[in-house]
Amino acid sequence: MNISGLCLQRPVATLLLWISVIVAGIVAWFHLPIAALPRYETPVIEVKAKLPGASPENMAASVATPLEKEFSAIPGLVGSSSENIQGESVILLEFSARRDIDAAAADVQAALFRVSRSLPTEMSTPPSYSKVNPGDAPILKLGISSPTMPLSELNAYIDELVIPALSTVDGVAQVVAKGRKRYAVRVQADPARLAALDLTLLDVASALKTANANTALGQLDSSRQMMMVQMPGELMLARDFAQVIVASRDGQGIRLADIAQVRDSVEEVQNIGEVNGVNSVLLDIKRQPGANTVRTVDSIMALLPRLQAQLPGSVRIVTLGDRSTSIREAIHDVNLTLLLTIALVILVILLFLRRLTSAAIPSISLPISLLGTFALMYAMGLSLNNISLMGITIAVGLVVDDAIVVLENVMRHIEQGMAPREAALRGAREVGFTVVSISVSLVAVFIPIFFMPGTAGLLFHEFAIVVTLAILVSAAVALTLIPVLVPMLVRNAPRHDDAPGWNRGFERLFERTLALYRHGLDWSLAHPRTVLAVGAGTLVLTALLYVTSPRSFFPEEDIGQVSVKVKTPPEMSFEGRLAVLRRIQDVLLEDDAILASASKVDHDTTKFDLDLKPRGQRPPMDQVLARMRANTNFIPGVKVNFSPVQNLKIGASSSSSTYQYTLQSVGSEQLDAWSEKLLAALRGSDVFVGLDTDFEKSGLQAQIHLDRDKMALLGVDMADLRTSLHAAFGGREVSSIHAPQATYKVIMELEDRYRRDETDLSRIHVRSQQGGMVPLSAFATLSRGTGTMTVLHKAQLPAITFSFELAPGRSLSDATAAIDRAKREIGLPATVFGSFDGQAAVFEQSQTSQLWLIVVAVAVIYVILGVLYESWIHPVTILMGIPSAAVGAFLALRLTGLDISFIAMIGVLLLIGIVKKNAIMMIDFALDAQRRHGIAAREAIHQACLLRFRPIMMTTLCAMMGAMPIALGLGAGAELRQPMGVVIVGGLLFSQVITLFITPVVYLWFDRLTRRFDGRAAALANS
């Protein structure tokens, strides 16, 4: 007895089982995590090293290079890059996806310990490392400001109250402060006074270090008591340090205030954050892996009023960059799309089955299949996101297929006069193998995705799992629940005369369509060569369309956020960059599409993060960006690059642009020259927007030319010289303040008026080994020159990165062709080579993997069908409709102006699984007629095509209705889903016409070949 018969014998148990599934699915729906995309993590570790005042070349040579060499021996490292700027090196280490990030972090820590002795001794703090996920952007930003409170005091509230409170919120992984103003005492020395009093900066630094030492003092013990030894009166504020005696001359103490300005300040003066033009501290809040983004943001929002009540009344908290907004909108719109899809599918079922009770049976199976899928998703730790919801929406048109196949066959027997229970048992048994074949072969389409490596695999594993679960649950529903529901809801055969007028009209239309198909089928069977030629033509057209169509990796989303990078001349001062940013900010805030702006300026960054108004209150993203680019192009020498923020962030690049191309060479001089030529060639192309490079060679430098012979004669030590220069111009930390709540820095430098240009270097004096004071001018000459502002390495080689966005209507394949063409035009030598980074690199890698994905999927389906049918030939017959489906898919993408993206190719995979079920339904019936009833092959396939025409049309229209709302591109996040919907609708429209005629012709052609081969084999055996 098959499973359908068992369920018919135990209807109560069957119904209770599925009721339990329904309840579990409802509970799971409300507890599934919500995110923008599936959880995917690239194991990346970021190493930061700081040496204030060091040049980019110095940071690259003395800090980055020894670190990179040490890191290169770590197992599992697949790529490394470093960015070296004034006083800071940032190294990004990318590991294989199979490498455990915690084990990699331990190896990085060990490498840092080994290399620590090779690093400059002037580094006050050792390099630090942190585990980062490039794809995990902040889910919310907070701007905290006060019109009356000093920023250092506001920063204390943020460090001691706000950040600890936010860090305890369930789902929050990290809170990063930007534009912070941490308290510090700043000592700004007067070099003239120091020289007059026979003092050097190193003398002052030594005095300050010992004046505020925080060493253990011990304890006193006696037979009756114990006392701790304490020394109250530690130096806490600038006024305390001002009274420190740093030296004595002629019996008189020289206080710090006599030789320097001592004031309460902040650690980083050149670090300003603003929200809508108001000076603020910005907090980036990142979620824990797998946490519910919407629920985490809601918890933060619920906490903010309590935090506001604990802060002084003048403090204001502004929320920005809320990633949950786009997710909420996408979830809401997908829910509406899902309901519309369900309604369309039920309408199709009602039209074909003619009666509400009959249509209710597969309609009931639809929500049950979806709820069962939700329950399994929760059990497997999946989430609701744009990718999984796309799979659920597509699955709506697929999960009713099995129920339709079973019900249509059962209803055919009832209409022939059979009792409902007997018809359910016989009808389910007849098509049981068909249902299994359709479901298993459709699941087989996704097997290659399950084993796909890299980012693409991590993104679409969840899609494949969700659709697979829905298909398997729907097959279980069709074979267990549908046979039980038929005797309960259908008492007798529906009479055509009882049908409403609209249904009789549809039946007349269907009968005319069937008559047209019968006529076309007879003609096709009479002209097989013509039909086969058309089939071969679709194969050629498929290859032609794929080669000539524009291609990309991932559709560009509109989540209502824009990243803006302002590039100024490299010699522009901090105050100049701040003024430029505010001018641009004033222009942007006048734009009706912009809701809020968060800006940040520090020693190397000038950028904005813009929040746009909701979609209904502004034009599309392309138009907004074009307008903002035009409005901000008014300052000579200043470039403003706009990049729409995407949920998908691939790679460890720090660039704010979506796409990057990196040029490398062994020698930096050769690299510099050829990068300028390539940049000039690319700027002549209309493919790129916001094309920029991190190559900055024209930064001003104050150069010190030493006479080492004179240094030796005068007894000047090189280490003392470098330390003195660092103390004067590098903002050196010379002491610490040990407050009860935190530790703060004491920073020494020259007064602002003595740090203006290269002539101020001559004011430095160094103590010789004989104890005398030696001015810098005695052994060095000073000049002004130009030098590199940023030094980049990739895989330990010098590198220059080009960042860009695509012009409207352009694709990544266009960008690849434009770069290749520019390289040929300038004659780029083989010693200078380039490669894409981030999303563009994954696109380049996916060009081959996409084709292999299709090939492997077809091969897997062939193997499974061959096993099911025990035949070499019939799987080929079933798969012959694939080229026609691909032609329809690629033509639909062309007509709608969409690229062949990875999502579109996943749609083609799904289309393969949908299209071949038509052939399965026809061939199953024909084979059964031949084997059981001895009917000739031509008559068998002719009957099969006509009898299976109704379920084929039903299942195809259901699949099309399931994809139609997605293809229309309705709602938030539609950019992501639309290519798949267009592929499925276009492919089904075209392939439905072709496969209904090609499949029977191919079936008969293979049948003749088989009989001819069998005849020859028999003749050979007899001979």
Side-chain angles (χ1 to χ4, degrees):
M1 179 180 292
N2 60 22
I3 189 171
S4 301
L6 179 63
C7 292
L8 278 168
Q9 287 187 353
R10 305 289 301 274
V12 175
T14 303
L15 290 174
L16 286 175
L17 174 65
W18 286 109
I19 290 172
S20 302
V21 171
I22 292 171
V23 173
I26 294 172
V27 173
W29 169 259
F30 290 103
H31 288 84
L32 282 169
I34 300 175
L37 292 172
R39 178 180 173 182
Y40 71 98
E41 295 183 10
T42 304
V44 175
I45 294 179
E46 181 184 71
V47 179
K48 287 186 176 181
K50 292 187 177 183
L51 181 57
S55 67
E57 293 96 334
N58 193 3
M59 293 300 301
S62 63
V63 178
T65 297
L67 287 174
E68 288 172 332
K69 288 182 178 179
E70 193 65 37
F71 293 147
S72 64
I74 296 178
L77 184 69
V78 296
S80 67
S81 62
S82 67
E83 182 180 9
N84 304 278
I85 57 175
Q86 185 78 13
E88 185 177 8
S89 291
V90 178
I91 303 174
L92 293 172
L93 306 172
E94 188 171 351
F95 292 88
S96 167
R98 297 184 299 272
R99 185 76 158 98
D100 180 69
I101 187 65
D102 294 323
D107 289 343
V108 169
Q109 186 178 28
L112 288 174
F113 177 76
R114 290 193 300 269
V115 80
S116 58
R117 293 185 179 180
S118 303
L119 299 177
T121 57
E122 295 88 355
M123 293 182 68
S124 56
T125 55
S128 61
Y129 72 94
S130 59
K131 294 175 283 187
V132 298
N133 182 12
D136 205 5
I139 59 172
L140 187 67
K141 298 178 181 179
L142 301 181
I144 305 178
S145 62
S146 173
T148 59
M149 186 182 299
L151 284 177
S152 59
E153 186 177 342
L154 176 64
N155 197 96
Y157 279 103
I158 293 171
D159 286 345
E160 297 163 21
L161 174 62
V162 178
I163 292 179
L166 292 173
S167 300
T168 60
V169 173
D170 186 30
V172 172
Q174 187 180 19
V175 182
V176 180
K178 295 183 177 179
R180 66 194 310 169
K181 298 293 183 180
R182 188 175 175 84
Y183 176 78
V185 170
R186 194 165 290 272
V187 179
Q188 295 187 312
D190 185 332
R193 292 184 185 180
L194 287 173
L197 294 171
D198 193 33
L199 288 173
T200 67
L201 289 169
L202 299 186
D203 296 334
V204 178
S206 178
L208 290 175
K209 184 176 181 180
T210 57
N212 210 35
N214 186 31
T215 56
L217 302 178
Q219 65 185 34
L220 301 175
D221 291 296
S222 69
S223 59
R224 292 180 294 176
Q225 62 185 6
M226 182 274 290
M227 289 185 290
M228 301 298 297
V229 179
Q230 295 293 339
M231 190 182 295
E234 279 198 22
L235 307 179
M236 293 291 177
L237 303 173
R239 62 173 179 267
D240 302 328
F241 281 92
Q243 301 305 313
V244 170
I245 296 177
V246 296
S248 62
R249 295 292 184 268
D250 301 328
Q252 297 292 322
I254 300 174
R255 299 186 184 276
L256 185 61
D258 298 331
I259 57 170
Q261 295 181 5
V262 187
R263 54 190 178 89
D264 296 315
S265 181
V266 294
E267 283 186 16
E268 298 183 35
V269 178
Q270 295 186 353
N271 185 13
I272 290 181
E274 293 183 349
V275 175
N276 297 328
V278 178
N279 209 343
S280 309
V281 176
L282 302 173
L283 299 182
D284 287 352
I285 304 174
K286 296 186 177 183
R287 71 183 181 108
Q288 294 173 348
N292 188 323
T293 301
V294 173
R295 188 175 301 162
T296 303
V297 171
D298 287 342
S299 300
I300 295 170
M301 292 297 191
L303 174 65
L304 291 183
R306 297 201 301 271
L307 281 177
Q308 185 73 69
Q310 298 174 38
L311 292 168
S314 64
V315 177
R316 296 288 179 265
I317 302 178
V318 179
T319 59
L320 309 100
D322 187 349
R323 285 295 182 98
S324 71
T325 301
S326 61
I327 297 174
R328 294 176 205 270
E329 292 174 352
I331 297 292
H332 175 266
D333 291 345
V334 168
N335 287 338
L336 294 179
T337 302
L338 197 59
L339 292 175
L340 176 61
T341 302
I342 292 172
L344 291 173
V345 170
I346 291 175
L347 177 62
V348 170
I349 296 171
L350 182 60
L351 286 173
F352 276 90
L353 296 182
R354 300 191 294 275
R355 205 163 63 169
L356 285 174
T357 52
S358 301
I361 296 172
S363 301
I364 290 172
S365 72
L366 199 158
I368 293 176
S369 299
L370 294 181
L371 290 171
T373 303
F374 296 150
L376 292 172
M377 286 175 63
Y378 181 78
M380 298 179 69
L382 305 182
S383 66
L384 290 176
N385 53 70
N386 283 319
I387 300 295
S388 63
L389 284 172
M390 179 169 59
I392 291 170
T393 307
I394 290 293
V396 170
L398 305 179
V399 296
V400 295
D401 284 5
D402 297 333
I404 288 173
V405 171
V406 173
L407 182 64
E408 193 277 337
N409 200 49
V410 171
M411 294 302 297
R412 185 167 58 86
H413 287 299
I414 293 176
E415 290 174 356
Q416 293 173 356
M418 193 176 293
R421 180 181 175 82
E422 184 182 351
L425 180 61
R426 181 174 176 180
R429 184 174 61 246
E430 287 177 348
V431 296
F433 182 78
T434 303
V435 170
V436 172
S437 299
I438 291 174
S439 300
V440 172
S441 59
L442 189 53
V443 169
V445 169
F446 299 105
I447 290 177
I449 301 179
F450 291 133
F451 296 98
M452 186 187 301
T455 303
L458 293 173
L459 279 173
F460 289 98
H461 282 170
E462 196 157 314
F463 174 85
I465 292 172
V466 167
V467 179
T468 296
L469 293 177
I471 292 168
L472 294 178
V473 173
S474 70
V477 171
L479 295 176
T480 59
L481 185 61
I482 298 300
V484 172
L485 292 177
V486 170
M488 294 181 177
L489 299 179
V490 180
R491 297 301 180 186
N492 49 40
R495 295 175 53 190
H496 185 68
D497 296 339
D498 295 338
W502 58 267
N503 192 269
R504 290 197 296 271
F506 176 79
E507 280 299 309
R508 286 194 295 272
L509 176 62
F510 179 78
E511 291 298 331
R512 291 195 190 100
T513 306
L514 181 59
L516 287 173
Y517 174 60
R518 182 184 294 110
H519 178 73
L521 179 63
D522 292 338
W523 185 92
S524 299
L525 294 177
H527 302 82
R529 293 183 179 180
T530 304
V531 176
L532 292 174
V534 171
T538 60
L539 183 62
V540 175
L541 188 56
T542 298
L544 182 64
L545 285 171
Y546 179 80
V547 172
T548 58
S549 296
R551 297 184 297 279
S552 62
F553 176 66
F554 216 68
E556 186 175 281
E557 296 181 85
D558 179 0
I559 65 172
Q561 297 177 24
V562 179
S563 177
V564 187
K565 187 174 182 180
V566 180
K567 188 172 183 180
T568 60
E571 70 274 8
M572 185 175 285
S573 66
F574 172 79
E575 290 80 5
R577 289 189 290 116
L578 181 60
V580 166
L581 179 136
R582 286 173 174 167
R583 287 182 63 187
I584 296 172
Q585 182 174 252
D586 292 341
V587 172
L588 289 175
L589 290 176
E590 292 176 0
D591 194 309
D592 293 336
I594 294 178
L595 183 65
S597 166
S599 60
K600 180 178 182 291
V601 184
D602 58 23
H603 65 285
D604 71 310
T605 304
T606 310
K607 63 173 294 185
F608 298 96
D609 288 319
L610 302 178
D611 284 359
L612 304 185
K613 292 180 179 177
R615 289 187 176 202
Q617 302 176 26
R618 61 172 171 85
M621 178 66 78
D622 286 345
Q623 297 180 23
V624 173
L625 293 177
R627 187 171 65 196
M628 289 193 296
R629 287 186 181 112
N631 292 341
T632 55
N633 187 23
F634 63 92
I635 303 178
V638 174
K639 298 177 183 177
V640 186
N641 297 323
F642 295 86
S643 178
V645 176
Q646 303 293 293
N647 282 317
L648 178 65
K649 176 71 166 65
I650 299 175
S653 172
S654 60
S655 173
S656 59
S657 297
T658 307
Y659 308 106
Q660 302 87 38
Y661 182 81
T662 300
L663 210 60
Q664 290 181 271
S665 177
V666 176
S668 58
E669 295 81 6
Q670 185 185 30
L671 179 65
D672 297 347
W674 284 106
S675 65
E676 290 180 352
K677 293 179 182 180
L678 182 61
L679 180 62
L682 293 178
R683 280 182 171 155
S685 171
D686 60 352
V687 175
F688 307 101
V689 173
L691 179 63
D692 198 9
T693 176
D694 52 25
F695 175 65
E696 292 183 350
K697 199 73 174 179
S698 57
L700 287 179
Q701 288 185 342
Q703 297 176 347
I704 304 173
H705 305 281
L706 298 176
D707 186 332
R708 296 182 180 269
D709 292 339
K710 286 187 178 180
M711 286 181 64
L713 291 173
L714 294 172
V716 177
D717 182 69
M718 178 63 77
D720 288 345
L721 173 62
R722 298 185 69 90
T723 307
S724 297
L725 290 170
H726 183 226
F729 306 105
R732 183 186 178 193
E733 179 185 352
V734 294
S735 185
S736 299
I737 301 171
H738 303 283
Q741 66 275 17
T743 300
Y744 302 103
K745 294 181 179 180
V746 179
I747 298 171
M748 187 173 70
E749 60 192 5
L750 294 187
E751 291 183 22
D752 292 341
R753 56 178 174 159
Y754 298 124
R755 293 184 291 113
R756 298 298 183 186
D757 56 45
E758 68 274 15
T759 60
D760 290 323
L761 293 170
S762 62
R763 303 178 189 276
I764 300 299
H765 288 70
V766 184
R767 193 172 300 283
S768 69
Q769 295 176 356
Q770 293 79 22
M773 296 280 286
V774 181
L776 182 63
S777 57
F779 55 86
T781 57
L782 309 174
S783 65
R784 176 179 295 197
T786 58
T788 303
M789 300 297 292
T790 305
V791 176
L792 275 86
H793 290 171
K794 181 181 178 182
Q796 302 186 51
L797 291 177
I800 293 176
T801 298
F802 298 85
S803 303
F804 60 91
E805 302 294 333
L806 295 174
R810 293 296 191 168
S811 65
L812 262 177
S813 58
D814 296 330
T816 303
I819 292 174
D820 291 340
R821 186 166 53 251
K823 287 160 62 176
R824 289 194 301 269
E825 289 175 356
I826 65 174
L828 190 72
T831 53
V832 180
F833 50 92
S835 61
F836 283 105
D837 287 331
Q839 189 175 138
V842 178
F843 161 76
E844 198 172 41
Q845 296 163 6
S846 69
Q847 294 308 288
T848 303
S849 64
Q850 284 180 10
L851 294 176
W852 277 111
L853 192 66
I854 301 296
V855 171
V856 172
V858 172
V860 170
I861 294 173
Y862 175 83
V863 170
I864 290 177
L865 291 175
V867 171
L868 291 172
Y869 286 96
E870 190 58 32
S871 169
W872 299 97
I873 299 299
H874 297 314
V876 178
T877 308
I878 292 170
L879 295 173
M880 285 300 291
I882 291 176
S884 63
V887 168
F890 294 152
L891 283 175
L893 289 174
R894 277 288 189 91
L895 292 174
T896 53
L898 298 175
D899 300 340
I900 299 180
S901 62
F902 202 85
I903 286 183
M905 292 304 291
I906 297 295
V908 172
L909 270 184
L910 190 57
L911 187 62
I912 291 171
I914 298 172
V915 167
K916 53 103 182 94
K917 69 177 173 47
N918 297 345
I920 288 177
M921 282 191 277
M922 288 188 285
I923 290 174
D924 267 359
F925 190 94
L927 288 174
D928 185 70
Q930 280 187 273
R931 293 168 180 172
R932 289 193 180 187
H933 305 291
I935 301 176
R938 190 182 191 285
E939 183 62 24
I941 193 64
H942 191 271
Q943 288 184 16
C945 291
L946 297 179
L947 288 175
R948 298 288 88 190
F949 185 70
R950 178 181 287 270
I952 286 174
M953 293 300 295
M954 283 181 67
T955 55
T956 301
L957 283 175
C958 285
M960 285 180 58
M961 291 302 104
M964 185 64 72
I966 298 177
L968 294 175
L970 304 175
E975 309 91 353
L976 197 65
R977 304 185 294 270
Q978 189 178 20
M980 182 173 291
V982 168
V983 162
I984 292 174
V985 172
L988 287 176
L989 278 173
F990 193 83
S991 67
Q992 186 73 357
V993 178
I994 301 296
T995 55
L996 285 173
F997 299 104
I998 286 182
T999 301
V1001 172
V1002 174
Y1003 179 85
L1004 290 178
W1005 186 59
F1006 277 128
D1007 182 74
R1008 285 194 295 270
L1009 286 178
T1010 303
R1011 283 189 284 109
R1012 187 179 305 170
F1013 178 80
D1014 290 344
R1016 290 180 179 176
L1020 288 173
N1022 294 330
S1023 64

